[in-house]
Amino acid sequence: NPSTNLTDFLSENLLRPLGTVEHQIQLRAQVCIGPFTIANIAASQTNSDLSYGGYTEGVPMPRAGYLVSATVRLNDARTAGTLTFKPTVNGTELTQTGLNLQIDDNPTQQATASVAWAVHANYAFVTGDRLGISYTTDGSWTPGGTPDGVANLFVVFDPD
């Protein structure tokens, strides 16, 4: 019928009520928090915080959510020793190890980590928590060149 307007057509044909069936779509988009940076990574460091815009206390979260991935890249590959990056919440390293990033014999310059969605609740944070990254090096840590690095955390915020 040419006199039917678009709203009536959509209401009758496409937007019919679903009765008791409900559909819920959840978008689990990862949001990057970072970059966190570190310059001149030295040997024998323990739980040293990376900087976010010159600030080392972590980035406050606007809502609750979950840490799901982490990445790190050094400007030069290491030649000896081990460097480990760990996510922090309110300045405390996570006890879960799924998002730890290690630079050693393999890989020597970059690392990534992700946790399965099935265990995401183990990596929860609440509104106002400060997320950050710390690093530890062993005594034999020897970078190949200038030891600078950049790291990112990826989060999924609660939909509510």
PDB file of all heavy atoms in Angstrom, residues 66-104:
ATOM      1  N   TYR A  66      37.184  -5.912  33.991  1.00  0.00           N
ATOM      2  CA  TYR A  66      38.117  -7.032  34.063  1.00  0.00           C
ATOM      3  C   TYR A  66      39.339  -6.763  33.198  1.00  0.00           C
ATOM      4  O   TYR A  66      39.217  -6.274  32.076  1.00  0.00           O
ATOM      5  CB  TYR A  66      37.447  -8.325  33.569  1.00  0.00           C
ATOM      6  CG  TYR A  66      36.122  -8.560  34.237  1.00  0.00           C
ATOM      7  CD1 TYR A  66      34.942  -8.116  33.655  1.00  0.00           C
ATOM      8  CD2 TYR A  66      36.060  -9.206  35.466  1.00  0.00           C
ATOM      9  CE1 TYR A  66      33.722  -8.301  34.287  1.00  0.00           C
ATOM     10  CE2 TYR A  66      34.849  -9.397  36.104  1.00  0.00           C
ATOM     11  CZ  TYR A  66      33.686  -8.945  35.508  1.00  0.00           C
ATOM     12  OH  TYR A  66      32.485  -9.115  36.138  1.00  0.00           O
ATOM     13  N   LEU A  67      40.508  -7.108  33.708  1.00  0.00           N
ATOM     14  CA  LEU A  67      41.716  -7.124  32.897  1.00  0.00           C
ATOM     15  C   LEU A  67      41.675  -8.374  32.032  1.00  0.00           C
ATOM     16  O   LEU A  67      41.404  -9.466  32.534  1.00  0.00           O
ATOM     17  CB  LEU A  67      42.962  -7.185  33.787  1.00  0.00           C
ATOM     18  CG  LEU A  67      43.323  -5.900  34.503  1.00  0.00           C
ATOM     19  CD1 LEU A  67      44.152  -6.197  35.730  1.00  0.00           C
ATOM     20  CD2 LEU A  67      44.079  -5.006  33.553  1.00  0.00           C
ATOM     21  N   VAL A  68      41.927  -8.228  30.723  1.00  0.00           N
ATOM     22  CA  VAL A  68      41.840  -9.394  29.849  1.00  0.00           C
ATOM     23  C   VAL A  68      43.089  -9.634  29.004  1.00  0.00           C
ATOM     24  O   VAL A  68      43.310 -10.749  28.546  1.00  0.00           O
ATOM     25  CB  VAL A  68      40.594  -9.319  28.930  1.00  0.00           C
ATOM     26  CG1 VAL A  68      39.317  -9.440  29.746  1.00  0.00           C
ATOM     27  CG2 VAL A  68      40.591  -8.060  28.097  1.00  0.00           C
ATOM     28  N   SER A  69      43.911  -8.603  28.776  1.00  0.00           N
ATOM     29  CA  SER A  69      45.111  -8.774  27.953  1.00  0.00           C
ATOM     30  C   SER A  69      46.179  -7.769  28.375  1.00  0.00           C
ATOM     31  O   SER A  69      45.878  -6.750  29.001  1.00  0.00           O
ATOM     32  CB  SER A  69      44.807  -8.545  26.463  1.00  0.00           C
ATOM     33  OG  SER A  69      43.861  -9.450  25.982  1.00  0.00           O
ATOM     34  N   ALA A  70      47.421  -8.056  27.988  1.00  0.00           N
ATOM     35  CA  ALA A  70      48.533  -7.153  28.248  1.00  0.00           C
ATOM     36  C   ALA A  70      49.569  -7.317  27.140  1.00  0.00           C
ATOM     37  O   ALA A  70      49.694  -8.405  26.552  1.00  0.00           O
ATOM     38  CB  ALA A  70      49.159  -7.446  29.605  1.00  0.00           C
ATOM     39  N   THR A  71      50.289  -6.238  26.850  1.00  0.00           N
ATOM     40  CA  THR A  71      51.358  -6.286  25.848  1.00  0.00           C
ATOM     41  C   THR A  71      52.550  -5.467  26.342  1.00  0.00           C
ATOM     42  O   THR A  71      52.391  -4.539  27.128  1.00  0.00           O
ATOM     43  CB  THR A  71      50.907  -5.696  24.488  1.00  0.00           C
ATOM     44  OG1 THR A  71      50.597  -4.310  24.657  1.00  0.00           O
ATOM     45  CG2 THR A  71      49.698  -6.432  23.941  1.00  0.00           C
ATOM     46  N   VAL A  72      53.729  -5.822  25.872  1.00  0.00           N
ATOM     47  CA  VAL A  72      54.925  -5.044  26.154  1.00  0.00           C
ATOM     48  C   VAL A  72      55.868  -5.132  24.955  1.00  0.00           C
ATOM     49  O   VAL A  72      55.898  -6.156  24.254  1.00  0.00           O
ATOM     50  CB  VAL A  72      55.641  -5.516  27.444  1.00  0.00           C
ATOM     51  CG1 VAL A  72      56.201  -6.920  27.284  1.00  0.00           C
ATOM     52  CG2 VAL A  72      56.721  -4.533  27.855  1.00  0.00           C
ATOM     53  N   ARG A  73      56.595  -4.047  24.731  1.00  0.00           N
ATOM     54  CA  ARG A  73      57.598  -4.024  23.650  1.00  0.00           C
ATOM     55  C   ARG A  73      58.774  -3.190  24.124  1.00  0.00           C
ATOM     56  O   ARG A  73      58.600  -2.096  24.659  1.00  0.00           O
ATOM     57  CB  ARG A  73      57.010  -3.430  22.383  1.00  0.00           C
ATOM     58  CG  ARG A  73      58.031  -3.182  21.295  1.00  0.00           C
ATOM     59  CD  ARG A  73      57.719  -3.921  20.044  1.00  0.00           C
ATOM     60  NE  ARG A  73      58.696  -3.614  19.001  1.00  0.00           N
ATOM     61  CZ  ARG A  73      59.472  -4.504  18.444  1.00  0.00           C
ATOM     62  NH1 ARG A  73      59.377  -5.765  18.808  1.00  0.00           N
ATOM     63  NH2 ARG A  73      60.317  -4.193  17.513  1.00  0.00           N
ATOM     64  N   LEU A  74      59.982  -3.723  23.924  1.00  0.00           N
ATOM     65  CA  LEU A  74      61.215  -2.997  24.212  1.00  0.00           C
ATOM     66  C   LEU A  74      61.767  -2.426  22.919  1.00  0.00           C
ATOM     67  O   LEU A  74      61.599  -3.021  21.845  1.00  0.00           O
ATOM     68  CB  LEU A  74      62.250  -3.926  24.847  1.00  0.00           C
ATOM     69  CG  LEU A  74      61.824  -4.674  26.104  1.00  0.00           C
ATOM     70  CD1 LEU A  74      62.973  -5.540  26.607  1.00  0.00           C
ATOM     71  CD2 LEU A  74      61.365  -3.708  27.177  1.00  0.00           C
ATOM     72  N   ASN A  75      62.461  -1.300  23.021  1.00  0.00           N
ATOM     73  CA  ASN A  75      63.038  -0.713  21.804  1.00  0.00           C
ATOM     74  C   ASN A  75      64.246  -1.496  21.309  1.00  0.00           C
ATOM     75  O   ASN A  75      64.558  -1.456  20.124  1.00  0.00           O
ATOM     76  CB  ASN A  75      63.386   0.760  22.023  1.00  0.00           C
ATOM     77  CG  ASN A  75      64.433   0.958  23.092  1.00  0.00           C
ATOM     78  OD1 ASN A  75      64.487   0.206  24.063  1.00  0.00           O
ATOM     79  ND2 ASN A  75      65.257   1.970  22.938  1.00  0.00           N
ATOM     80  N   ASP A  76      64.924  -2.217  22.199  1.00  0.00           N
ATOM     81  CA  ASP A  76      66.045  -3.072  21.815  1.00  0.00           C
ATOM     82  C   ASP A  76      65.889  -4.425  22.489  1.00  0.00           C
ATOM     83  O   ASP A  76      65.460  -4.503  23.645  1.00  0.00           O
ATOM     84  CB  ASP A  76      67.385  -2.462  22.248  1.00  0.00           C
ATOM     85  CG  ASP A  76      67.745  -1.222  21.461  1.00  0.00           C
ATOM     86  OD1 ASP A  76      67.668  -1.273  20.216  1.00  0.00           O
ATOM     87  OD2 ASP A  76      68.092  -0.198  22.090  1.00  0.00           O
ATOM     88  N   ALA A  77      66.264  -5.474  21.796  1.00  0.00           N
ATOM     89  CA  ALA A  77      66.168  -6.823  22.363  1.00  0.00           C
ATOM     90  C   ALA A  77      67.162  -6.987  23.511  1.00  0.00           C
ATOM     91  O   ALA A  77      68.241  -6.396  23.498  1.00  0.00           O
ATOM     92  CB  ALA A  77      66.433  -7.862  21.285  1.00  0.00           C
ATOM     93  N   ARG A  78      66.788  -7.784  24.482  1.00  0.00           N
ATOM     94  CA  ARG A  78      67.697  -8.057  25.593  1.00  0.00           C
ATOM     95  C   ARG A  78      68.753  -9.058  25.159  1.00  0.00           C
ATOM     96  O   ARG A  78      68.569  -9.826  24.213  1.00  0.00           O
ATOM     97  CB  ARG A  78      66.950  -8.507  26.841  1.00  0.00           C
ATOM     98  CG  ARG A  78      66.224  -9.843  26.846  1.00  0.00           C
ATOM     99  CD  ARG A  78      67.007 -11.006  26.688  1.00  0.00           C
ATOM    100  NE  ARG A  78      67.149 -12.016  27.694  1.00  0.00           N
ATOM    101  CZ  ARG A  78      67.938 -13.065  27.449  1.00  0.00           C
ATOM    102  NH1 ARG A  78      68.605 -13.185  26.357  1.00  0.00           N
ATOM    103  NH2 ARG A  78      68.048 -14.010  28.343  1.00  0.00           N
ATOM    104  N   THR A  79      69.902  -9.032  25.851  1.00  0.00           N
ATOM    105  CA  THR A  79      70.972  -9.965  25.517  1.00  0.00           C
ATOM    106  C   THR A  79      71.196 -11.000  26.613  1.00  0.00           C
ATOM    107  O   THR A  79      71.728 -12.072  26.349  1.00  0.00           O
ATOM    108  CB  THR A  79      72.296  -9.221  25.252  1.00  0.00           C
ATOM    109  OG1 THR A  79      72.624  -8.428  26.388  1.00  0.00           O
ATOM    110  CG2 THR A  79      72.172  -8.326  24.022  1.00  0.00           C
ATOM    111  N   ALA A  80      70.781 -10.697  27.855  1.00  0.00           N
ATOM    112  CA  ALA A  80      70.920 -11.659  28.954  1.00  0.00           C
ATOM    113  C   ALA A  80      69.930 -11.291  30.059  1.00  0.00           C
ATOM    114  O   ALA A  80      69.484 -10.152  30.158  1.00  0.00           O
ATOM    115  CB  ALA A  80      72.347 -11.662  29.502  1.00  0.00           C
ATOM    116  N   GLY A  81      69.602 -12.281  30.882  1.00  0.00           N
ATOM    117  CA  GLY A  81      68.752 -12.036  32.036  1.00  0.00           C
ATOM    118  C   GLY A  81      67.268 -12.094  31.727  1.00  0.00           C
ATOM    119  O   GLY A  81      66.851 -12.403  30.608  1.00  0.00           O
ATOM    120  N   THR A  82      66.472 -11.791  32.748  1.00  0.00           N
ATOM    121  CA  THR A  82      65.017 -11.873  32.645  1.00  0.00           C
ATOM    122  C   THR A  82      64.385 -10.590  33.162  1.00  0.00           C
ATOM    123  O   THR A  82      64.798 -10.049  34.191  1.00  0.00           O
ATOM    124  CB  THR A  82      64.496 -13.065  33.467  1.00  0.00           C
ATOM    125  OG1 THR A  82      65.077 -14.268  32.952  1.00  0.00           O
ATOM    126  CG2 THR A  82      62.978 -13.179  33.380  1.00  0.00           C
ATOM    127  N   LEU A  83      63.378 -10.148  32.434  1.00  0.00           N
ATOM    128  CA  LEU A  83      62.580  -8.970  32.779  1.00  0.00           C
ATOM    129  C   LEU A  83      61.128  -9.418  32.804  1.00  0.00           C
ATOM    130  O   LEU A  83      60.636 -10.003  31.839  1.00  0.00           O
ATOM    131  CB  LEU A  83      62.785  -7.886  31.722  1.00  0.00           C
ATOM    132  CG  LEU A  83      61.833  -6.703  31.666  1.00  0.00           C
ATOM    133  CD1 LEU A  83      61.876  -5.894  32.942  1.00  0.00           C
ATOM    134  CD2 LEU A  83      62.184  -5.830  30.462  1.00  0.00           C
ATOM    135  N   THR A  84      60.429  -9.171  33.913  1.00  0.00           N
ATOM    136  CA  THR A  84      59.036  -9.588  34.043  1.00  0.00           C
ATOM    137  C   THR A  84      58.158  -8.383  34.346  1.00  0.00           C
ATOM    138  O   THR A  84      58.477  -7.588  35.245  1.00  0.00           O
ATOM    139  CB  THR A  84      58.872 -10.622  35.175  1.00  0.00           C
ATOM    140  OG1 THR A  84      59.746 -11.727  34.919  1.00  0.00           O
ATOM    141  CG2 THR A  84      57.440 -11.122  35.263  1.00  0.00           C
ATOM    142  N   PHE A  85      57.078  -8.237  33.591  1.00  0.00           N
ATOM    143  CA  PHE A  85      56.092  -7.189  33.807  1.00  0.00           C
ATOM    144  C   PHE A  85      54.842  -7.837  34.404  1.00  0.00           C
ATOM    145  O   PHE A  85      54.436  -8.910  33.965  1.00  0.00           O
ATOM    146  CB  PHE A  85      55.714  -6.522  32.481  1.00  0.00           C
ATOM    147  CG  PHE A  85      56.837  -5.732  31.866  1.00  0.00           C
ATOM    148  CD1 PHE A  85      57.722  -6.328  30.993  1.00  0.00           C
ATOM    149  CD2 PHE A  85      56.995  -4.387  32.159  1.00  0.00           C
ATOM    150  CE1 PHE A  85      58.763  -5.605  30.415  1.00  0.00           C
ATOM    151  CE2 PHE A  85      58.025  -3.654  31.589  1.00  0.00           C
ATOM    152  CZ  PHE A  85      58.907  -4.263  30.720  1.00  0.00           C
ATOM    153  N   LYS A  86      54.227  -7.149  35.391  1.00  0.00           N
ATOM    154  CA  LYS A  86      53.012  -7.663  36.023  1.00  0.00           C
ATOM    155  C   LYS A  86      51.992  -6.540  36.169  1.00  0.00           C
ATOM    156  O   LYS A  86      52.346  -5.433  36.595  1.00  0.00           O
ATOM    157  CB  LYS A  86      53.317  -8.235  37.410  1.00  0.00           C
ATOM    158  CG  LYS A  86      54.236  -9.438  37.391  1.00  0.00           C
ATOM    159  CD  LYS A  86      54.493  -9.944  38.799  1.00  0.00           C
ATOM    160  CE  LYS A  86      55.407 -11.160  38.777  1.00  0.00           C
ATOM    161  NZ  LYS A  86      55.633 -11.672  40.139  1.00  0.00           N
ATOM    162  N   PRO A  87      50.721  -6.818  35.866  1.00  0.00           N
ATOM    163  CA  PRO A  87      49.673  -5.826  36.110  1.00  0.00           C
ATOM    164  C   PRO A  87      49.523  -5.561  37.602  1.00  0.00           C
ATOM    165  O   PRO A  87      49.746  -6.460  38.432  1.00  0.00           O
ATOM    166  CB  PRO A  87      48.409  -6.479  35.557  1.00  0.00           C
ATOM    167  CG  PRO A  87      48.869  -7.581  34.682  1.00  0.00           C
ATOM    168  CD  PRO A  87      50.183  -8.024  35.228  1.00  0.00           C
ATOM    169  N   THR A  88      49.149  -4.327  37.935  1.00  0.00           N
ATOM    170  CA  THR A  88      48.890  -3.970  39.322  1.00  0.00           C
ATOM    171  C   THR A  88      47.487  -3.366  39.460  1.00  0.00           C
ATOM    172  O   THR A  88      46.967  -2.768  38.519  1.00  0.00           O
ATOM    173  CB  THR A  88      49.915  -2.948  39.859  1.00  0.00           C
ATOM    174  OG1 THR A  88      49.793  -1.730  39.111  1.00  0.00           O
ATOM    175  CG2 THR A  88      51.333  -3.475  39.750  1.00  0.00           C
ATOM    176  N   VAL A  89      46.895  -3.573  40.612  1.00  0.00           N
ATOM    177  CA  VAL A  89      45.641  -2.920  40.977  1.00  0.00           C
ATOM    178  C   VAL A  89      45.903  -2.203  42.292  1.00  0.00           C
ATOM    179  O   VAL A  89      46.308  -2.831  43.277  1.00  0.00           O
ATOM    180  CB  VAL A  89      44.483  -3.929  41.113  1.00  0.00           C
ATOM    181  CG1 VAL A  89      43.215  -3.231  41.576  1.00  0.00           C
ATOM    182  CG2 VAL A  89      44.240  -4.642  39.789  1.00  0.00           C
ATOM    183  N   ASN A  90      45.747  -0.879  42.268  1.00  0.00           N
ATOM    184  CA  ASN A  90      46.021  -0.038  43.452  1.00  0.00           C
ATOM    185  C   ASN A  90      47.433  -0.237  43.974  1.00  0.00           C
ATOM    186  O   ASN A  90      47.670  -0.261  45.174  1.00  0.00           O
ATOM    187  CB  ASN A  90      44.978  -0.290  44.547  1.00  0.00           C
ATOM    188  CG  ASN A  90      43.588   0.065  44.082  1.00  0.00           C
ATOM    189  OD1 ASN A  90      43.390   1.037  43.362  1.00  0.00           O
ATOM    190  ND2 ASN A  90      42.612  -0.736  44.480  1.00  0.00           N
ATOM    191  N   GLY A  91      48.390  -0.418  43.050  1.00  0.00           N
ATOM    192  CA  GLY A  91      49.795  -0.537  43.418  1.00  0.00           C
ATOM    193  C   GLY A  91      50.251  -1.916  43.833  1.00  0.00           C
ATOM    194  O   GLY A  91      51.434  -2.121  44.113  1.00  0.00           O
ATOM    195  N   THR A  92      49.341  -2.884  43.867  1.00  0.00           N
ATOM    196  CA  THR A  92      49.693  -4.248  44.269  1.00  0.00           C
ATOM    197  C   THR A  92      49.666  -5.163  43.056  1.00  0.00           C
ATOM    198  O   THR A  92      48.685  -5.181  42.307  1.00  0.00           O
ATOM    199  CB  THR A  92      48.696  -4.773  45.328  1.00  0.00           C
ATOM    200  OG1 THR A  92      48.719  -3.891  46.451  1.00  0.00           O
ATOM    201  CG2 THR A  92      49.045  -6.182  45.760  1.00  0.00           C
ATOM    202  N   GLU A  93      50.761  -5.903  42.862  1.00  0.00           N
ATOM    203  CA  GLU A  93      50.801  -6.843  41.743  1.00  0.00           C
ATOM    204  C   GLU A  93      49.743  -7.923  41.923  1.00  0.00           C
ATOM    205  O   GLU A  93      49.492  -8.382  43.039  1.00  0.00           O
ATOM    206  CB  GLU A  93      52.183  -7.503  41.644  1.00  0.00           C
ATOM    207  CG  GLU A  93      53.266  -6.541  41.223  1.00  0.00           C
ATOM    208  CD  GLU A  93      54.626  -7.197  41.124  1.00  0.00           C
ATOM    209  OE1 GLU A  93      54.815  -8.309  41.674  1.00  0.00           O
ATOM    210  OE2 GLU A  93      55.507  -6.588  40.505  1.00  0.00           O
ATOM    211  N   LEU A  94      49.128  -8.327  40.819  1.00  0.00           N
ATOM    212  CA  LEU A  94      48.145  -9.400  40.860  1.00  0.00           C
ATOM    213  C   LEU A  94      48.816 -10.701  41.263  1.00  0.00           C
ATOM    214  O   LEU A  94      49.940 -10.989  40.845  1.00  0.00           O
ATOM    215  CB  LEU A  94      47.488  -9.584  39.499  1.00  0.00           C
ATOM    216  CG  LEU A  94      46.642  -8.433  38.970  1.00  0.00           C
ATOM    217  CD1 LEU A  94      46.061  -8.795  37.616  1.00  0.00           C
ATOM    218  CD2 LEU A  94      45.525  -8.086  39.938  1.00  0.00           C
ATOM    219  N   THR A  95      48.113 -11.500  42.044  1.00  0.00           N
ATOM    220  CA  THR A  95      48.655 -12.811  42.405  1.00  0.00           C
ATOM    221  C   THR A  95      48.451 -13.810  41.268  1.00  0.00           C
ATOM    222  O   THR A  95      49.216 -14.762  41.138  1.00  0.00           O
ATOM    223  CB  THR A  95      48.000 -13.351  43.689  1.00  0.00           C
ATOM    224  OG1 THR A  95      46.586 -13.389  43.505  1.00  0.00           O
ATOM    225  CG2 THR A  95      48.339 -12.476  44.880  1.00  0.00           C
ATOM    226  N   GLN A  96      47.430 -13.595  40.426  1.00  0.00           N
ATOM    227  CA  GLN A  96      47.232 -14.441  39.257  1.00  0.00           C
ATOM    228  C   GLN A  96      48.349 -14.125  38.253  1.00  0.00           C
ATOM    229  O   GLN A  96      48.752 -12.981  38.094  1.00  0.00           O
ATOM    230  CB  GLN A  96      45.872 -14.175  38.598  1.00  0.00           C
ATOM    231  CG  GLN A  96      44.688 -14.416  39.481  1.00  0.00           C
ATOM    232  CD  GLN A  96      44.363 -13.223  40.383  1.00  0.00           C
ATOM    233  OE1 GLN A  96      45.037 -12.237  40.409  1.00  0.00           O
ATOM    234  NE2 GLN A  96      43.291 -13.362  41.136  1.00  0.00           N
ATOM    235  N   THR A  97      48.812 -15.140  37.572  1.00  0.00           N
ATOM    236  CA  THR A  97      49.965 -14.956  36.687  1.00  0.00           C
ATOM    237  C   THR A  97      49.612 -14.958  35.195  1.00  0.00           C
ATOM    238  O   THR A  97      50.494 -14.848  34.358  1.00  0.00           O
ATOM    239  CB  THR A  97      51.005 -16.060  36.942  1.00  0.00           C
ATOM    240  OG1 THR A  97      50.384 -17.330  36.697  1.00  0.00           O
ATOM    241  CG2 THR A  97      51.535 -15.997  38.370  1.00  0.00           C
ATOM    242  N   GLY A  98      48.338 -15.066  34.850  1.00  0.00           N
ATOM    243  CA  GLY A  98      47.945 -15.187  33.448  1.00  0.00           C
ATOM    244  C   GLY A  98      48.280 -13.996  32.580  1.00  0.00           C
ATOM    245  O   GLY A  98      48.383 -14.126  31.361  1.00  0.00           O
ATOM    246  N   LEU A  99      48.472 -12.818  33.178  1.00  0.00           N
ATOM    247  CA  LEU A  99      48.800 -11.627  32.387  1.00  0.00           C
ATOM    248  C   LEU A  99      50.235 -11.152  32.598  1.00  0.00           C
ATOM    249  O   LEU A  99      50.602 -10.071  32.159  1.00  0.00           O
ATOM    250  CB  LEU A  99      47.816 -10.501  32.705  1.00  0.00           C
ATOM    251  CG  LEU A  99      46.381 -10.762  32.261  1.00  0.00           C
ATOM    252  CD1 LEU A  99      45.464  -9.632  32.708  1.00  0.00           C
ATOM    253  CD2 LEU A  99      46.293 -10.960  30.758  1.00  0.00           C
ATOM    254  N   ASN A 100      51.057 -11.976  33.257  1.00  0.00           N
ATOM    255  CA  ASN A 100      52.467 -11.624  33.388  1.00  0.00           C
ATOM    256  C   ASN A 100      53.141 -11.695  32.024  1.00  0.00           C
ATOM    257  O   ASN A 100      52.840 -12.569  31.215  1.00  0.00           O
ATOM    258  CB  ASN A 100      53.184 -12.565  34.348  1.00  0.00           C
ATOM    259  CG  ASN A 100      52.746 -12.374  35.782  1.00  0.00           C
ATOM    260  OD1 ASN A 100      51.924 -11.508  36.089  1.00  0.00           O
ATOM    261  ND2 ASN A 100      53.284 -13.187  36.666  1.00  0.00           N
ATOM    262  N   LEU A 101      54.057 -10.778  31.795  1.00  0.00           N
ATOM    263  CA  LEU A 101      54.795 -10.716  30.530  1.00  0.00           C
ATOM    264  C   LEU A 101      56.272 -10.868  30.849  1.00  0.00           C
ATOM    265  O   LEU A 101      56.813 -10.114  31.657  1.00  0.00           O
ATOM    266  CB  LEU A 101      54.555  -9.369  29.843  1.00  0.00           C
ATOM    267  CG  LEU A 101      53.098  -9.029  29.553  1.00  0.00           C
ATOM    268  CD1 LEU A 101      52.950  -7.559  29.224  1.00  0.00           C
ATOM    269  CD2 LEU A 101      52.588  -9.892  28.419  1.00  0.00           C
ATOM    270  N   GLN A 102      56.923 -11.832  30.205  1.00  0.00           N
ATOM    271  CA  GLN A 102      58.321 -12.087  30.500  1.00  0.00           C
ATOM    272  C   GLN A 102      59.167 -11.931  29.250  1.00  0.00           C
ATOM    273  O   GLN A 102      58.842 -12.476  28.199  1.00  0.00           O
ATOM    274  CB  GLN A 102      58.489 -13.488  31.083  1.00  0.00           C
ATOM    275  CG  GLN A 102      59.875 -13.726  31.645  1.00  0.00           C
ATOM    276  CD  GLN A 102      59.887 -14.896  32.590  1.00  0.00           C
ATOM    277  OE1 GLN A 102      59.163 -14.898  33.567  1.00  0.00           O
ATOM    278  NE2 GLN A 102      60.724 -15.876  32.296  1.00  0.00           N
ATOM    279  N   ILE A 103      60.271 -11.198  29.405  1.00  0.00           N
ATOM    280  CA  ILE A 103      61.275 -11.040  28.348  1.00  0.00           C
ATOM    281  C   ILE A 103      62.514 -11.798  28.810  1.00  0.00           C
ATOM    282  O   ILE A 103      63.078 -11.497  29.873  1.00  0.00           O
ATOM    283  CB  ILE A 103      61.617  -9.544  28.122  1.00  0.00           C
ATOM    284  CG1 ILE A 103      60.364  -8.727  27.790  1.00  0.00           C
ATOM    285  CG2 ILE A 103      62.695  -9.398  27.061  1.00  0.00           C
ATOM    286  CD1 ILE A 103      59.734  -9.035  26.455  1.00  0.00           C
ATOM    287  N   ASP A 104      62.907 -12.793  28.037  1.00  0.00           N
ATOM    288  CA  ASP A 104      64.081 -13.592  28.381  1.00  0.00           C
ATOM    289  C   ASP A 104      64.658 -14.169  27.092  1.00  0.00           C
ATOM    290  O   ASP A 104      64.691 -13.498  26.075  1.00  0.00           O
ATOM    291  CB  ASP A 104      63.751 -14.657  29.421  1.00  0.00           C
ATOM    292  CG  ASP A 104      62.573 -15.548  29.014  1.00  0.00           C
ATOM    293  OD1 ASP A 104      62.206 -15.567  27.818  1.00  0.00           O
ATOM    294  OD2 ASP A 104      62.028 -16.233  29.899  1.00  0.00           O
TER     295      ASP A 104
END
